[in-house]
Amino acid sequence: METTVYGAPLIEARGVTKHYDGFTLNDVSLAVEPGQIVGFIGQNGAGKSTTIKALLGLISMDGGEARILGVPACELKGASSRIKEEVGVVFDTVSVPPHLTVAEVGRLMACAYTTWDAAAFERYLGCFKLEGAKAVKGLSRGMGMKLSLACALAHSPRVLILDEATAGLDPMARDEVLDILRAFVAVEDAEGRLRNAILMSSHITSDLEKIADEVVCIDEGRIVFSCAKDEITDLMGVARCRATELEEIMAGMQAPAVLRAMRHEYGIDVLVPDRFKFARSFPQIPCDRVTIDDYMMLSLRGEELELRGAALKGGER
């Protein structure tokens, strides 16, 4: 019988803290609701993998709590196999014995999961162009990631936790995987409620721009921002201005808000909250659509500029 978690996130971390020598995961909180794909971003060493391991109960926590499908992370090791079967995990390395063939991996998984769907596994192998006779050790990194995804999906999980799962894939293959992930979170239960969710860490933020609902950024063990992806990519903007124009922007926008800016030899990039209003107020200043990379870079490395002017001119979008 399927675990039921209604009215609560399927994946949740609250104030998760973990201390290591030279690094601390500090008060990390995030949540993934049914039907959601949450992108988890940050530089190497920022704490993404540590957070994922804490969620899965693979490491102990020094503070806070985490739950998957309502089960505390600290209890996942001792949880029933049925709970574990509802969680699909893909790390950034292939975690099956390298001497096995792809077909043998499928037979091994059939022994591990009572919910294993051999026909679904074969469909994924066909979709990913994986040959059953091929040895795991002979797979490229990208093909190895496809095998890991096929294994994670073929036992009918409710939750997918993906750590750089599209790494090593060419653009066409990544698009195929993204289509599969979209279909996964669109699945409904017998009562028409969305049943699945995905937490997906990735350095390929263009993938997250295509499928993520929320984006959570971590840096040096702390959550820097958690924001709706559409707010970033559809509403915000990056103004490309000169120093003299920056003074005009700061005098003409809403105080006491804070802008973030990065200075370059050729000018200044300024993150603005609404590029449509900005364009009406400052039509002479180019303002581009924001990518997740832009937003992350300006959030992490941009300087803060306190506004001191009146409200931004222009009507509502």
PDB file of all heavy atoms in Angstrom, residues 63-79:
ATOM      1  N   GLY A  63      21.685  19.210  14.275  1.00  0.00           N
ATOM      2  CA  GLY A  63      20.553  20.048  14.627  1.00  0.00           C
ATOM      3  C   GLY A  63      19.525  20.036  13.538  1.00  0.00           C
ATOM      4  O   GLY A  63      19.817  19.694  12.387  1.00  0.00           O
ATOM      5  N   GLY A  64      18.292  20.385  13.882  1.00  0.00           N
ATOM      6  CA  GLY A  64      17.218  20.434  12.905  1.00  0.00           C
ATOM      7  C   GLY A  64      16.612  19.071  12.651  1.00  0.00           C
ATOM      8  O   GLY A  64      16.920  18.078  13.332  1.00  0.00           O
ATOM      9  N   GLU A  65      15.738  19.021  11.665  1.00  0.00           N
ATOM     10  CA  GLU A  65      15.080  17.766  11.317  1.00  0.00           C
ATOM     11  C   GLU A  65      14.818  17.709   9.816  1.00  0.00           C
ATOM     12  O   GLU A  65      14.741  18.739   9.147  1.00  0.00           O
ATOM     13  CB  GLU A  65      13.768  17.610  12.086  1.00  0.00           C
ATOM     14  CG  GLU A  65      12.746  18.698  11.786  1.00  0.00           C
ATOM     15  CD  GLU A  65      11.439  18.477  12.523  1.00  0.00           C
ATOM     16  OE1 GLU A  65      11.271  17.400  13.126  1.00  0.00           O
ATOM     17  OE2 GLU A  65      10.572  19.360  12.477  1.00  0.00           O
ATOM     18  N   ALA A  66      14.683  16.497   9.302  1.00  0.00           N
ATOM     19  CA  ALA A  66      14.378  16.287   7.887  1.00  0.00           C
ATOM     20  C   ALA A  66      13.423  15.114   7.774  1.00  0.00           C
ATOM     21  O   ALA A  66      13.478  14.166   8.569  1.00  0.00           O
ATOM     22  CB  ALA A  66      15.650  16.020   7.097  1.00  0.00           C
ATOM     23  N   ARG A  67      12.545  15.211   6.774  1.00  0.00           N
ATOM     24  CA  ARG A  67      11.570  14.142   6.546  1.00  0.00           C
ATOM     25  C   ARG A  67      11.415  13.881   5.050  1.00  0.00           C
ATOM     26  O   ARG A  67      11.455  14.807   4.251  1.00  0.00           O
ATOM     27  CB  ARG A  67      10.189  14.521   7.121  1.00  0.00           C
ATOM     28  CG  ARG A  67      10.139  14.612   8.625  1.00  0.00           C
ATOM     29  CD  ARG A  67       8.776  15.097   9.110  1.00  0.00           C
ATOM     30  NE  ARG A  67       8.717  15.138  10.553  1.00  0.00           N
ATOM     31  CZ  ARG A  67       8.313  14.126  11.322  1.00  0.00           C
ATOM     32  NH1 ARG A  67       7.899  13.002  10.744  1.00  0.00           N
ATOM     33  NH2 ARG A  67       8.309  14.228  12.624  1.00  0.00           N
ATOM     34  N   ILE A  68      11.222  12.628   4.717  1.00  0.00           N
ATOM     35  CA  ILE A  68      10.833  12.229   3.367  1.00  0.00           C
ATOM     36  C   ILE A  68       9.590  11.367   3.486  1.00  0.00           C
ATOM     37  O   ILE A  68       9.583  10.389   4.252  1.00  0.00           O
ATOM     38  CB  ILE A  68      11.957  11.469   2.647  1.00  0.00           C
ATOM     39  CG1 ILE A  68      13.155  12.383   2.418  1.00  0.00           C
ATOM     40  CG2 ILE A  68      11.461  10.913   1.315  1.00  0.00           C
ATOM     41  CD1 ILE A  68      14.313  11.718   1.704  1.00  0.00           C
ATOM     42  N   LEU A  69       8.520  11.762   2.789  1.00  0.00           N
ATOM     43  CA  LEU A  69       7.244  11.053   2.873  1.00  0.00           C
ATOM     44  C   LEU A  69       6.767  10.927   4.317  1.00  0.00           C
ATOM     45  O   LEU A  69       6.174   9.918   4.718  1.00  0.00           O
ATOM     46  CB  LEU A  69       7.360   9.672   2.214  1.00  0.00           C
ATOM     47  CG  LEU A  69       7.631   9.690   0.711  1.00  0.00           C
ATOM     48  CD1 LEU A  69       7.990   8.308   0.199  1.00  0.00           C
ATOM     49  CD2 LEU A  69       6.422  10.224  -0.053  1.00  0.00           C
ATOM     50  N   GLY A  70       7.068  11.957   5.105  1.00  0.00           N
ATOM     51  CA  GLY A  70       6.623  11.989   6.490  1.00  0.00           C
ATOM     52  C   GLY A  70       7.490  11.220   7.460  1.00  0.00           C
ATOM     53  O   GLY A  70       7.273  11.270   8.674  1.00  0.00           O
ATOM     54  N   VAL A  71       8.493  10.512   6.952  1.00  0.00           N
ATOM     55  CA  VAL A  71       9.369   9.707   7.815  1.00  0.00           C
ATOM     56  C   VAL A  71      10.613  10.518   8.179  1.00  0.00           C
ATOM     57  O   VAL A  71      11.304  11.006   7.277  1.00  0.00           O
ATOM     58  CB  VAL A  71       9.776   8.392   7.115  1.00  0.00           C
ATOM     59  CG1 VAL A  71      10.723   7.579   7.992  1.00  0.00           C
ATOM     60  CG2 VAL A  71       8.547   7.579   6.745  1.00  0.00           C
ATOM     61  N   PRO A  72      10.930  10.673   9.463  1.00  0.00           N
ATOM     62  CA  PRO A  72      12.147  11.402   9.843  1.00  0.00           C
ATOM     63  C   PRO A  72      13.389  10.753   9.243  1.00  0.00           C
ATOM     64  O   PRO A  72      13.496   9.513   9.181  1.00  0.00           O
ATOM     65  CB  PRO A  72      12.157  11.302  11.378  1.00  0.00           C
ATOM     66  CG  PRO A  72      10.720  11.081  11.752  1.00  0.00           C
ATOM     67  CD  PRO A  72      10.151  10.245  10.635  1.00  0.00           C
ATOM     68  N   ALA A  73      14.320  11.582   8.812  1.00  0.00           N
ATOM     69  CA  ALA A  73      15.541  11.066   8.179  1.00  0.00           C
ATOM     70  C   ALA A  73      16.288  10.106   9.094  1.00  0.00           C
ATOM     71  O   ALA A  73      16.862   9.115   8.628  1.00  0.00           O
ATOM     72  CB  ALA A  73      16.442  12.239   7.789  1.00  0.00           C
ATOM     73  N   CYS A  74      16.273  10.385  10.388  1.00  0.00           N
ATOM     74  CA  CYS A  74      17.002   9.528  11.323  1.00  0.00           C
ATOM     75  C   CYS A  74      16.403   8.131  11.425  1.00  0.00           C
ATOM     76  O   CYS A  74      17.045   7.202  11.926  1.00  0.00           O
ATOM     77  CB  CYS A  74      17.069  10.174  12.710  1.00  0.00           C
ATOM     78  SG  CYS A  74      15.444  10.485  13.453  1.00  0.00           S
ATOM     79  N   GLU A  75      15.154   7.965  10.926  1.00  0.00           N
ATOM     80  CA  GLU A  75      14.497   6.660  10.986  1.00  0.00           C
ATOM     81  C   GLU A  75      14.505   5.928   9.652  1.00  0.00           C
ATOM     82  O   GLU A  75      14.024   4.795   9.569  1.00  0.00           O
ATOM     83  CB  GLU A  75      13.044   6.829  11.457  1.00  0.00           C
ATOM     84  CG  GLU A  75      12.921   7.416  12.858  1.00  0.00           C
ATOM     85  CD  GLU A  75      11.474   7.650  13.263  1.00  0.00           C
ATOM     86  OE1 GLU A  75      10.584   7.128  12.552  1.00  0.00           O
ATOM     87  OE2 GLU A  75      11.233   8.339  14.262  1.00  0.00           O
ATOM     88  N   LEU A  76      15.040   6.576   8.602  1.00  0.00           N
ATOM     89  CA  LEU A  76      14.963   5.961   7.275  1.00  0.00           C
ATOM     90  C   LEU A  76      15.739   4.650   7.190  1.00  0.00           C
ATOM     91  O   LEU A  76      15.321   3.720   6.498  1.00  0.00           O
ATOM     92  CB  LEU A  76      15.466   6.939   6.206  1.00  0.00           C
ATOM     93  CG  LEU A  76      14.479   8.019   5.771  1.00  0.00           C
ATOM     94  CD1 LEU A  76      15.140   8.990   4.815  1.00  0.00           C
ATOM     95  CD2 LEU A  76      13.239   7.396   5.123  1.00  0.00           C
ATOM     96  N   LYS A  77      16.866   4.571   7.887  1.00  0.00           N
ATOM     97  CA  LYS A  77      17.647   3.329   7.823  1.00  0.00           C
ATOM     98  C   LYS A  77      16.859   2.153   8.364  1.00  0.00           C
ATOM     99  O   LYS A  77      16.940   1.041   7.853  1.00  0.00           O
ATOM    100  CB  LYS A  77      18.953   3.491   8.616  1.00  0.00           C
ATOM    101  CG  LYS A  77      20.025   4.284   7.899  1.00  0.00           C
ATOM    102  CD  LYS A  77      21.325   4.252   8.683  1.00  0.00           C
ATOM    103  CE  LYS A  77      22.424   5.003   7.943  1.00  0.00           C
ATOM    104  NZ  LYS A  77      23.692   5.002   8.694  1.00  0.00           N
ATOM    105  N   GLY A  78      16.074   2.418   9.402  1.00  0.00           N
ATOM    106  CA  GLY A  78      15.291   1.343   9.997  1.00  0.00           C
ATOM    107  C   GLY A  78      13.865   1.287   9.499  1.00  0.00           C
ATOM    108  O   GLY A  78      13.073   0.478   9.978  1.00  0.00           O
ATOM    109  N   ALA A  79      13.533   2.153   8.548  1.00  0.00           N
ATOM    110  CA  ALA A  79      12.163   2.193   8.044  1.00  0.00           C
ATOM    111  C   ALA A  79      11.858   0.948   7.218  1.00  0.00           C
ATOM    112  O   ALA A  79      12.756   0.234   6.772  1.00  0.00           O
ATOM    113  CB  ALA A  79      11.967   3.442   7.196  1.00  0.00           C
TER     114      ALA A  79
END
